[in-house]
Amino acid sequence: MKYQAELKDDILFIRLQGDLIAGADTQAMMEEVDNAQRTNVQLCAIDLSDARFIDSGGMGVLVSVLTKFRNKGGELVLIKPSDHIRKLLIVTKLNAIFTVAENDEFAAQFLKESIY
């Protein structure tokens, strides 16, 4: 898995590519999240449009990131997950806790509204 992180309008955007499985790459991404939170970033959007596959460890990573932000009074949105990932969210019933947006603009709008 590869990822890119950028801070835009006080929202941490993380863009994933490849397979989301727990490992060294996800550990680096979690450190990125921790660093952002140290600077009081409360909002995060994870772009899954280029993620091909996700396993249980990868789902655990998404839940961990969501938990980190909600514990700080913030929120997380998933952007454009593939059909495969959407089905996994439904099967695992995680669709009840994650908000899904179709693009950056909808994600940013939801996140901004979620903390006010």
Side-chain angles (χ1 to χ4, degrees):
M1 174 196 86
K2 294 180 184 178
Y3 77 91
Q4 291 179 316
E6 72 172 316
L7 190 62
K8 186 167 78 173
D9 296 328
D10 296 324
I11 300 171
L12 177 64
F13 283 88
I14 299 174
R15 302 189 193 288
L16 303 180
Q17 291 179 305
D19 299 337
L20 179 55
I21 54 177
D25 292 333
T26 54
Q27 187 62 34
M29 185 184 80
M30 294 300 285
E31 289 174 19
E32 192 86 42
V33 167
D34 290 341
N35 291 337
Q37 287 192 316
R38 281 189 206 100
T39 63
N40 296 319
V41 173
Q42 291 185 293
L43 304 174
C44 182
I46 299 180
D47 185 343
L48 296 170
S49 60
D50 289 328
R52 294 182 307 228
F53 174 79
I54 186 169
D55 70 357
S56 61
M59 290 297 240
V61 168
L62 293 178
V63 171
S64 292
V65 175
L66 175 70
T67 302
K68 283 176 177 280
F69 279 97
R70 286 192 177 165
N71 283 345
K72 299 277 186 172
E75 190 57 74
L76 169 103
V77 171
L78 302 178
I79 300 173
K80 202 166 183 167
S82 67
D83 287 341
H84 167 73
I85 294 173
R86 284 179 195 262
K87 287 176 187 173
L88 280 175
L89 291 170
I90 292 168
V91 167
T92 59
K93 300 194 187 305
L94 292 174
N95 62 320
I97 66 166
F98 284 106
T99 299
V100 174
E102 290 306 311
N103 58 43
D104 288 8
E105 292 77 26
F106 285 119
Q109 179 181 351
F110 172 81
L111 289 168
K112 294 288 185 181
E113 291 173 358
S114 74
I115 60 169
Y116 298 111

